[in-house]
Amino acid sequence: MGLAGPSKKRKISHDPNNTKWTRSTGFGHKMLLSQGWSPGTILGPDPNNPHHTAASQVGIKVMLKDDNLGLGCRGNQEDTCTGLGDLQSLLGRLNGKTDDSVRSEEDTRRKMWIEGRYGMRFVKGEVLESTWVTKELRKDVEVDGKDGSDEEAKESDSEDEEEDESESSEGRKAKSKKEKKRKDTDSKKKKRKSSDSEDDEDADSSSSSSSKDRKSDKAKRKAGKALRKAEKQAKKERKEAKRLRKDEKRRAKAEKKALKSAIAASSAPSSTASTPPAMPSAEPEPLPKLDKKSKSLPNSLHGSGTSTPINGRQALRSKWIAQKRMAVMDAKALNEILMIKAA
Amino acid sequence: MPGEREILDSDRPTKKAKVSAAINGASKDMDNPYLAHMYAPSTASSAGQDLFAGLTRHQTTTVQAQKAEDGPLNPFTGSQLSKQYFDILKKRRDLPVHAQRDEFLRLYHENQILVFVGETGSGKTTQIPQFVLYDEKPFETGKKVACTQPRRVAAMSVAKRVADEMDVTLGDEVGYNIRFENNTSSKTVLQYMTDGMLLREAMNDPNLSRYSCIILDEAHERTLATDILMGLLKEVALRRPDLKIVVMSATLDAQKFQRYFGVKENDYNAPLLAVPGRTHPVEIFYTPEPERDYVEAALRTVLQIHGSEPEGDILLFLTGEEEIEEACKRLRAEGDEMQREYDTGPLKVYALYGTLPPNQQQRIFDPAPPPARAGGKPGRKVVVSTNIAETSLTIDGIVYVVDPGFSKQKVYNPRIRVESLLVSPISKASAQQRAGRAGRTRPGKCFRLYTEDAFKKELIDQTYPEILRSNLASTVLELKKLGIDDLVHFDFMDPPAPETMMRALEELNYLACLDDEGDLTTLGRMASEYPLDPALAVMLISSSEFQCASEILSITALLSVPQVFVRPSHKRKEADQAKAQFAHPDGDHLTMLNVYHAFKSLEQGAGQKWCSDNYLSFRSLTSADNVRNQLKVIMEKQEIDMKTTAFTDRNYYNNIRQALCAGFFMQVAKKMSTGKSYKTVKDNQDVLLHPSTMLGQENEWVLYNEFVLTTKNYIRTVTSVKPEWLMDIAPNYYDIDSFEKGEIKTALVRTAEKIARKAKLDKRLQR
């Protein structure tokens, strides 16, 4: 609440948590000790039971609630800007989105909300089939239907699954590692090939060490040549890619702008009138889409020639340089810049 | 908070209580239900035995049981079965549990402990005990089947229903036993009872030898009594291999129950049988962003549903009485306006909370109102409820649920010894349960007034069980009485925090219920007989020393029921004026006593009007009267001297105040030299006198009944006392050396000097 809000004065005791009592070792403490309890442990014969909660150790801590703030509402949100969600369509249009896409977005939004006279808006969540039958329990039911209670089988099942999963994920990792390795070895092979061929040549005149030296020098030079060649090739490719990307770039630029404003809007929680980020419904929501774009953002930056992330002023500078370079590279753009009429 | 249990319990609608036979007719063994099992079940009809002839105990099958059920004679009474019986039987056979009767019986035969998970609406509460009954053959063993319920109302209503289903008279073959009301007889083979009642029985009969099977129903609610019973039954099961135990629960934490009741043979996984209920899918909606005011949002949502959704009743969950009444008022006004302005159907709004009189609670079952005019839009019913409508009460016809995500929950802080009801976020399990309420009759919708993100991140999985949120003083006393000395290794499903346990032991030690070795004292044994907080029980027992047993008995009863003073929001001034008539300058306890005495001096039948004229709760006062009678019976049994001081005696009120000190010496605060604030003795918390008090600000030492936790800390129901009394009555607690330096210590030292001086003077005078 601002200045106009009711002031809440509150006196806090010298020791509101009564740590004095906590530190003392009175009758209760002695009794528990005499029965085999040791400080810091929890009561009960099965202290390692996974079903025990922290509350068995330290009790339940609650926040005193003396307002009507809804669940998850943090109160002072005056400093965050709101309502940007409603501007989405306008921004979208300004940023060159087609009317159709804007309309479809609006439609999905309208579908999500049951908007009424009383101004309550809702987002559709999951459908509750039953108050308690989770997948696990369902499995139980089935298992029980067959042979009483093989909880263990079920558990081991899930464990297996877990293992499978972890295995697969590990496998994936291993795969990617393997792939990397393969690449490495490939390139090594290439190198070796070249050196192998060299070796073959070497084989004839391997007797003289001097010639070997010379040859190895030659090989080095050759390898260097090959490398340079490869580099050139890569450069060419890159240029090609740049040219290709250029068209994209223009579109991306417009999108980027939209994205930036959207990100700003979405980072302000109260302004996510569009939708909360985690939405189970399959309909294409604006935000997830934006998320994807936000992921593509650094890529496009990379594409503009700066391979390492650079911060601040430098980043801006390098971006400009990259843009300039790109413009120079593109004949059409160059023509435009130099105001040469296309033939 | 003394009397909390009592209040919680009397929250539930009660019939006019009869004195239980257990208390009344202790001299006649035959009538004593605790001893009934020692006598042959002479009334068991021979016909019944014949009808069970082909069946062997613990080997019956569904086919056999169904044959017995099909009649034509009632296997339990031998009489002809009525048409109503067969009508009900048809419906019973349709219940989801019935499909798995074979399954149940097989598991039941094979295991001693069985966990049964059945969704609401599966019929578990009414059917499983009957399945067990046909298998147990109670006439052969002479042992009963018990089914516990966390709530008194549930025990009564379910027993009534099952008696109908079995075509017997309630109280004969099927009965119920709840505190202050025992409706069973020697014929009873199936007994519904509150979990607290079974616990009390266990104190007198540690092996529960009257029962062949114990069914713990609604175990997921995890009441204090259920939790202790579970720990206890685990031990009893080892001593009594013939005892069968079925634990019935309704939520997701079945695995926790399985692990808890598992034994080595089944690898710590008790057998489980799960039966889904019959529910319809419920669509869940979240708000796109958090709400600033959940009450406001809730009301708007209800009105929006009323305006735009098809026919179907609405259930709105709010936290407390005041909030609910306020919401109802606004909904009624808005509903009328909507009907006028937008031609919607009529909106009927009902409140539902524990302290509501039973007849008003009953009204929530009224059907939705008809259209205002022929051909108009159909009417709609809105029930605004606390979380009692979450599991315990099922209202048919609910299609829409509005859930702001809060409920009032009890919390206990052992450090400052405060037990209070606070508004806190519900658990995920609770939220699902609430949503499930919308799918009872047809597919429904649940509107959650929080984001999906908040649901995932802000809510805990399961509601904490009561044992983690209560003062355990009376629980420890009960456990000691049950013969459980090793509290550290007692098998709680959720062990309470060590600090809570320490506090409980410490309190009992100061109250002299436990001696310094931790053993139960005579006083402790006596105190455990009362269904009260130990402090109240000790106060009651020691009141005879101060010649005011009758008055203290009245005060205890008054403290054990909901607030007697009514203060409607629109008539606060009048209510305060009415209260002032009864005011006693020395404190609120005495003010309440004045009210009670005035109430008792009324003519028969004048009470209701007098109460409403004076802004008093007739219901609370009658229930206090009732509780008083029950407690008096226990006191008389313990031969406590009920002689009292004459009202004209100069010390009449002083005696009462001293007797209050005997129980509440640990709840005393002293005024600080600066400001209006008081400081609690020993715990050193700054508190203020609650605005409702009749006590002036000038009293230096006050004793309080309740510590109210809000932004300001208040003490409510206060009475002024003298430090001399405290030091005299509780020398252990007021041992000056144990106090740290400060205002309280200085005052106590001065008092000690004064006492010494006076003693010296007295001695000199005597000489």
Side-chain angles (χ1 to χ4, degrees), chain A residues 182-197:
Chain A
R182 207 178 297 147
K183 271 183 191 166
D184 284 359
T185 48
D186 275 358
S187 58
K188 268 181 199 166
K189 255 184 206 165
K190 267 183 196 166
K191 269 187 190 169
R192 213 183 295 147
K193 236 184 196 171
S194 57
S195 59
D196 267 357
S197 56

Side-chain angles (χ1 to χ4, degrees), chain B residues 126-371:
Chain B
T126 52
Q127 302 310 304
I128 294 291
Q130 295 185 61
F131 292 178
V132 168
L133 206 56
Y134 276 92
D135 190 58
E136 279 296 335
K137 301 189 73 189
F139 297 131
E140 197 178 282
T141 56
K143 289 185 176 172
K144 300 200 264 186
V145 173
C147 179
T148 69
Q149 297 288 325
R151 265 170 298 276
R152 297 157 54 92
V153 219
M156 287 193 295
S157 57
V158 173
K160 174 85 185 66
R161 168 76 192 170
V162 173
D164 286 348
E165 284 187 2
M166 289 171 60
D167 212 11
V168 296
T169 318
L170 181 64
D172 284 355
E173 279 76 15
V174 178
Y176 64 87
N177 189 4
I178 59 182
R179 188 153 56 96
F180 301 148
E181 192 171 348
N182 185 356
N183 194 349
T184 61
S185 64
S186 52
K187 277 195 219 168
T188 304
V189 287
L190 173 56
Q191 175 172 321
Y192 283 89
M193 63 206 303
T194 53
D195 44 11
M197 209 58 209
L198 186 62
L199 196 59
R200 300 228 137 234
E201 252 180 58
M203 286 183 199
N204 295 297
D205 177 9
N207 279 335
L208 294 166
S209 46
R210 307 164 62 206
Y211 301 101
S212 59
C213 174
I214 288 169
I215 302 166
L216 293 180
D217 196 8
E218 315 285 354
H220 62 275
E221 290 204 16
R222 305 288 309 279
T223 60
L224 250 177
T226 296
D227 265 21
I228 300 170
L229 269 177
M230 288 195 295
L232 209 61
L233 284 177
K234 270 181 89 167
E235 289 182 5
V236 175
L238 298 178
R239 292 198 296 267
R240 274 193 61 195
D242 61 314
L243 179 73
K244 295 262 183 190
I245 295 161
V246 181
V247 183
M248 303 208 285
S249 158
T251 34
L252 315 144
D253 48 356
Q255 277 146 22
K256 189 167 179 170
F257 282 93
Q258 279 187 293
R259 156 117 196 195
Y260 181 69
F261 284 107
V263 286
K264 212 174 167 197
E265 285 81 61
N266 52 28
D267 227 2
Y268 300 103
N269 261 314
L272 173 105
L273 181 65
V275 177
R278 194 170 293 144
T279 49
H280 302 274
V282 176
E283 278 184 274
I284 293 178
F285 294 89
Y286 297 94
T287 54
E289 53 196 84
E291 290 299 326
R292 291 198 152 271
D293 184 335
Y294 70 86
V295 180
E296 191 67 37
L299 298 182
R300 280 193 289 153
T301 308
V302 168
L303 294 170
Q304 194 165 303
I305 294 169
H306 182 49
S308 55
E309 295 280 333
E311 200 177 356
D313 298 337
I314 309 172
L315 175 61
L316 163 63
F317 287 99
L318 287 178
T319 60
E321 182 181 335
E322 213 175 311
E323 200 176 86
I324 287 172
E325 285 297 353
E326 186 65 31
C328 284
K329 217 164 69 188
R330 286 182 55 191
L331 281 177
R332 278 185 201 117
E334 292 275 348
D336 287 349
E337 200 187 305
M338 277 177 90
Q339 198 184 337
R340 260 199 324 272
E341 307 250 322
Y342 305 108
D343 192 31
T344 58
L347 190 69
K348 196 92 187 144
V349 186
Y350 299 104
L352 176 62
Y353 44 85
T355 46
L356 205 67
N359 59 328
Q360 285 190 42
Q361 275 194 9
Q362 216 55 45
R363 279 174 41 204
I364 61 162
F365 297 110
D366 293 352

Side-chain angles (χ1 to χ4, degrees), chain A residues 11 30 39 53 78 98 103 161 187 238 276 287 298 326 343:
Chain A
K11 197 176 169 189
K30 266 179 237 153
T53 55
E78 269 87 3
T98 57
R103 206 168 301 131
E161 272 173 31
S187 58
R238 225 182 291 150
L287 210 63
M326 218 186 307

Side-chain angles (χ1 to χ4, degrees), chain B residues 438-503:
Chain B
R440 297 280 296 178
T441 36
R442 61 186 167 90
K445 286 179 180 172
C446 172
F447 297 89
R448 292 183 173 156
L449 304 178
Y450 38 89
T451 60
E452 184 163 21
D453 221 34
F455 172 76
K456 282 181 181 147
K457 288 179 189 153
E458 309 244 333
L459 302 187
I460 52 168
D461 288 340
Q462 292 285 339
T463 313
Y464 289 118
E466 200 182 355
I467 198 161
L468 295 178
R469 31 166 94 250
S470 314
N471 180 353
L472 294 183
S474 52
T475 307
V476 170
L477 199 61
E478 271 163 11
L479 286 170
K480 288 275 177 190
K481 185 78 194 299
L482 286 164
I484 289 147
D485 285 320
D486 187 354
L487 297 169
V488 171
H489 295 101
F490 183 71
D491 199 352
F492 292 109
M493 191 167 190
D494 276 293
E499 274 188 9
T500 312
M501 187 61 91
M502 272 182 230
R503 244 331 176 193

Side-chain angles (χ1 to χ4, degrees), chain B residues 13-19 152 180-181 622-623 625-626 629-630:
Chain B
T14 50
K15 283 190 193 168
K16 187 134 181 103
K18 293 176 202 162
V19 176
R152 297 157 54 92
F180 301 148
E181 192 171 348
T622 34
S623 104
D625 206 26
N626 184 11
N629 289 335
Q630 306 295 337

Side-chain angles (χ1 to χ4, degrees), chain B residues 45-52 65 67-79 81 85 134 139 166 173:
Chain B
S45 70
S46 53
Q49 280 177 353
D50 287 341
L51 288 164
F52 275 120
K67 206 176 144 210
E69 277 175 358
D70 284 338
L73 294 181
N74 190 328
F76 293 98
T77 59
S79 52
L81 287 164
Y85 170 87
Y134 276 92
F139 297 131
M166 289 171 60
E173 279 76 15

Side-chain angles (χ1 to χ4, degrees), chain A residues 10 13 15 17-18 21-22 35 44 46 56 66 68 70 74 120 123-126 128 130-132 144, chain B residues 119 259 272 282-284 286 288 291 293-294 304 415 458 485 488 495 499 503 506 683 685-686 710-711:
Chain A
R10 198 177 165 193
S13 309
D15 184 8
N17 255 332
N18 202 7
W21 176 78
T22 328
Q35 289 171 359
D46 188 7
S56 291
D66 61 339
N68 276 351
R74 293 284 171 268
M120 288 304 298
V123 175
K124 199 165 173 251
E126 73 274 14
L128 185 78
S130 164
T131 50
W132 60 283
D144 284 332
Chain B
E119 200 173 6
R259 156 117 196 195
L272 173 105
V282 176
E283 278 184 274
I284 293 178
Y286 297 94
E291 290 299 326
D293 184 335
Y294 70 86
Q304 194 165 303
R415 296 189 174 180
E458 309 244 333
D485 285 320
V488 171
E499 274 188 9
R503 244 331 176 193
E506 196 184 290
D683 295 332
Q685 299 299 305
D686 286 332
T710 57
T711 38

